[in-house]
């Protein structure tokens, strides 16, 4: 993720270190101008939001499962008299590409749509953001808007409804689209990609299977924690991150055990949204750096990678972020454990709690959740990540944009060390990490 370059990231790190006494950076950027509706029955309010945005003919983007579930009917049954769905598409692949975005932009134009409503997982929401670029800017050349800051003005009205509590895409300035022809992922970064309205309705996540619920929530937890310990941390993202960690820690196990727990579902959706706001402004670090490359090399889902790597990424940064990792014990374990743990032991205790959480989720999901890659297999018995994949994965990781935002720099050898520990599920050997032995 390349919002700034390496030297800007280093400046952030220096500013952060200089100002630790005040706990304030000398400079930071934060933006998240999104109206957020959260509750058990908020889909009904979408037509009212469309009216406020002076729209009455939305393009609706979703999945076939959502379309069959009746959730879209809730929106359409509440349309005002002059409103109608301009067009509906439920054929968005999990890894959306340039062709899909072009096709949907054409659908928008040929049906005289005036806004976009997207209800789905991360890919559907990212696709909606990218379609909004084309229908607002005109033309069909999406590539020229990739990177940071290419958009200069507000886009068409956009309402996003996440159906997984993980990516936080409804609160981020980011969209990722595949360029299949050139075998690369295109990153779009701009505050103009934020939706006008984000809708968090507990009903839309009720059918998410337990293992997927665990993975996506651990992805959101990782967004919050990497934002809280990262080089771009600031008071605004810290408060979002801290609350997100607390909501996830309190609810993740209950919701995975009881998928129909509506209050718990809403808590995870809100947490994912807040974690999205946090990392959209503070960025992510080594856990995402390595997670992206494992995903690219072995095609393991992002949430599984996050679950396995989270404790290791914290151990990797322990010598630079002991204080912050220790602070996270409060939202993760509660005030009793926090107050009974001596300050110098809190960081290790935080990591211990995350490992315990992963093991509990592994047991509840009968092994579908992961805490290492050695024992992780797909349903057909395939073992997607093997020891021999480690060198290529480590090499790939060094080209990931998020590598700049980790508090400690990462060498090839260190990436290999972390990946070896991720494979076995053992603790990180800190003697192999630069200054890792320092307390
Ligand atoms: Fe993530």
């Amino acid at each position: 993720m390349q919002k700034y370059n390496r030297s800007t990231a280093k400046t952030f790190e220096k500013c952060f270190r200089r100002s630790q006494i005040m706990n304030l950076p000398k400079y930071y950027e934060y933006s998240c101008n999104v109206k957020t509706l959260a509750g058990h029955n908020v889909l009904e309010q979408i037509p009212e939001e469309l009216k406020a945005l002076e729209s009455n003919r939305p393009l609706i983007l979703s999945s076939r499962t959502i379309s069959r579930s009746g959730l879209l009917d809730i929106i359409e049954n509440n349309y005002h008299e002059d409103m109608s769905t301009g067009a509906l598409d439920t054929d968005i692949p999990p890894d959306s590409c340039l062709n899909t975005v072009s096709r949907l932009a054409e659908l928008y134009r040929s049906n005289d749509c005036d806004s976009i409503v997207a209800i789905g997982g991360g890919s559907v929401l990212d696709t909606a953001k990218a379609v909004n670029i084309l229908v607002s800017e005109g033309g069909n050349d999406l590539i020229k808007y990739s990177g940071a800051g290419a958009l200069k003005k507000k886009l068409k009205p956009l309402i996003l409804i996440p159906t997984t509590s993980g990516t936080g895409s409804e609160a981020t300035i980011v969209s990722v689209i595949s360029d299949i022809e050139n075998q690369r992922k295109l990153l779009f970064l701009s505050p103009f990609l934020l939706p006008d309205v984000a809708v968090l309705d507990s009903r839309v996540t009720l059918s998410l299977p337990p293992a997927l619920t665990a993975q996506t929530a651990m992805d959101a937890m990782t967004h919050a924690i990497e934002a809280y310990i990262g080089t771009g941390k600031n008071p605004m993202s810290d408060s979002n991150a801290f609350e997100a960690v607390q909501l996830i820690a309190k609810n993740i196990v209950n919701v995975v055990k009881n998928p129909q727990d509506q209050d718990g579902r809403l808590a995870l959706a809100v947490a994912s949204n807040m974690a999205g706001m946090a990392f959209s402004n503070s960025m992510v670090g080594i856990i995402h750096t390595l997670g992206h490359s494992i995903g690219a090399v072995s095609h393991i889902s992002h949430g599984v990678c996050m679950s396995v790597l989270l404790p290791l990424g914290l151990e990797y940064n322990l010598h630079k972020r002991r204080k912050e990792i220790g602070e996270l014990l409060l939202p993760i374990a509660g005030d009793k454990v926090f107050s009974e743990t001596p300050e110098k032991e809190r960081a290790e205790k935080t990591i211990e709690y995350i490992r315990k959480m992963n093991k509990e989720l592994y047991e509840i999901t009968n092994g579908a959740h992961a805490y290492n890659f050695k024992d992780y297999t797909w349903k057909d018995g395939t073992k997607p990540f093997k020891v021999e994949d480690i060198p290529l994965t480590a090499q790939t990781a060094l080209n990931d944009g998020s590598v700049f935002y980790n508090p400690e720099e990462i060498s090839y050898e260190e990436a290999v060390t972390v990946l070896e520990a991720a494979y076995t599920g053992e603790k990180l050997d800190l003697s192999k990490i630069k200054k890792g032995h320092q307390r």
Side-chain angles (χ1 to χ4, degrees), residues 179-434:
D179 176 1
I180 294 171
E181 206 175 301
N182 297 301
Q183 293 186 310
R184 59 180 176 167
K185 296 252 185 195
L186 292 171
L187 202 62
F188 302 83
L189 283 149
S190 167
F192 294 118
L193 292 177
L194 286 166
D196 297 280
V197 184
V199 176
L200 313 175
D201 188 313
S202 57
R203 290 171 294 182
V204 307
T205 59
L206 284 177
S207 57
L208 200 64
L212 212 53
T213 302
Q215 292 163 24
T216 54
M218 287 307 280
D219 181 26
M221 173 86 102
T222 309
H223 294 154
I225 292 181
E226 292 217 282
Y228 195 77
I229 68 166
T231 54
K233 84 188 246 99
N234 63 69
M236 298 288 284
S237 66
D238 279 359
S239 58
N240 294 148
F242 203 82
E243 184 63 23
V245 170
Q246 179 154 263
L247 284 168
I248 296 166
K250 276 191 175 165
N251 291 283
I252 186 170
V253 170
N254 281 343
V255 175
V256 173
K257 275 186 191 162
N258 310 298
Q260 295 303 307
D261 172 2
Q262 256 189 290
D263 288 339
R265 287 287 190 187
L266 185 60
L268 293 183
V270 169
S272 169
N273 181 256
M274 297 184 84
M277 288 181 208
F279 93 88
S280 180
N281 287 278
S282 298
M283 312 310 280
V284 286
I286 186 171
I287 303 163
H288 274 79
T289 307
L290 295 178
H292 291 154
S293 61
I294 294 173
V297 172
S298 304
H299 308 290
I300 293 179
S301 75
H302 181 66
V304 168
C305 297
M306 296 299 99
S307 306
V308 175
L309 290 164
L310 178 54
L312 296 166
L314 293 178
E315 283 171 342
Y316 187 85
N317 287 306
L318 204 50
H319 60 290
K320 289 217 165 162
R321 292 293 189 269
R322 170 169 290 282
K323 177 176 159 287
E324 290 73 20
I325 297 170
E327 286 166 0
L328 290 171
L329 185 62
L330 180 60
I332 285 181
D335 49 8
K336 188 167 185 296
V337 173
F338 183 81
S339 59
E340 286 172 0
T341 307
E343 197 176 340
K344 62 178 192 306
E345 293 170 22
R346 283 178 186 156
E348 279 84 359
K349 195 79 159 179
T350 299
I351 300 168
E352 189 187 314
Y353 262 78
I354 291 169
R355 285 210 163 91
K356 249 201 281 187
M357 199 182 287
N358 264 337
K359 285 257 175 70
E360 206 174 344
L361 293 169
Y362 174 82
E363 275 151 27
I364 303 168
T365 60
N366 297 320
H369 189 72
Y371 64 91
N372 65 43
F373 291 125
K374 172 172 61 83
D375 302 318
Y376 182 68
T377 55
W378 284 332
K379 274 186 189 157
D380 65 357
T382 309
K383 194 169 155 185
F385 189 70
K386 305 180 193 69
V387 175
E388 50 269 34
D389 294 324
I390 290 177
L392 175 61
T393 309
Q395 196 56 53
T396 308
L398 300 182
N399 296 322
D400 192 274
S402 60
V403 79
F404 298 140
Y405 301 97
N406 195 62
E408 181 57 273
E409 289 188 356
I410 306 160
S411 67
Y412 169 80
E413 290 74 19
E414 286 165 332
V416 168
T417 300
V418 179
L419 290 167
E420 284 172 349
Y423 183 78
T424 61
E426 285 165 15
K427 284 185 178 176
L428 195 60
D429 180 353
L430 296 182
S431 69
K432 291 186 180 171
I433 306 301
K434 271 192 287 298

Side-chain angles (χ1 to χ4, degrees), residues 4-170:
Y4 311 104
N5 58 29
R6 183 185 286 269
S7 80
T8 318
K10 280 191 170 173
T11 309
F12 279 173
E13 173 65 6
K14 271 189 209 152
C15 289
F16 171 76
R17 282 201 242 156
R18 237 183 275 138
S19 63
Q20 268 190 341
I21 300 168
M22 296 292 293
N23 215 16
L24 284 174
K26 292 272 186 238
Y27 171 77
Y28 70 89
E29 293 174 18
Y30 184 96
S31 68
C32 190
N33 185 23
V34 178
K35 178 175 181 181
T36 304
L37 312 179
H40 295 311
N41 298 291
V42 283
L43 290 177
E44 285 82 347
Q45 294 179 44
I46 289 174
E48 199 55 36
E49 295 303 324
L50 284 169
K51 186 183 168 200
L53 293 164
E54 298 180 351
S55 304
N56 59 13
R57 199 168 164 76
L59 164 67
I60 297 189
L61 302 179
S62 190
S63 66
R64 278 182 215 160
T65 316
I66 293 288
S67 176
R68 279 195 294 258
S69 71
L71 291 165
L72 300 182
D73 298 338
I74 298 175
I75 302 172
E76 291 177 333
N77 290 343
N78 283 279
Y79 275 162
H80 295 196
E81 235 172 50
D82 60 344
M83 277 179 194
S84 60
T85 297
L88 165 70
D89 190 279
T90 57
D91 251 343
I92 299 165
D95 198 8
S96 192
C97 65
L98 292 172
N99 287 344
T100 305
V101 175
S102 294
R103 178 176 66 75
L104 295 173
E106 179 48 34
L107 188 68
Y108 180 105
R109 291 172 183 136
S110 60
N111 286 282
D112 292 324
C113 297
D114 60 9
S115 52
I116 302 174
V117 174
I119 171 165
S123 178
V124 171
L125 304 195
D126 277 11
T127 302
K129 290 173 172 177
V131 172
N132 205 15
I133 296 175
L134 287 186
V135 300
S136 302
E137 292 288 333
N140 217 13
D141 183 6
L142 189 64
I143 295 175
K144 78 175 182 191
Y145 300 103
S146 64
L151 297 169
K152 305 294 179 205
K153 61 179 196 303
K154 172 141 180 33
L155 308 182
K156 302 276 186 192
L158 177 65
I159 298 180
L160 298 182
I161 308 133
T163 56
T164 58
S165 299
T167 66
S169 179
E170 76 286 357

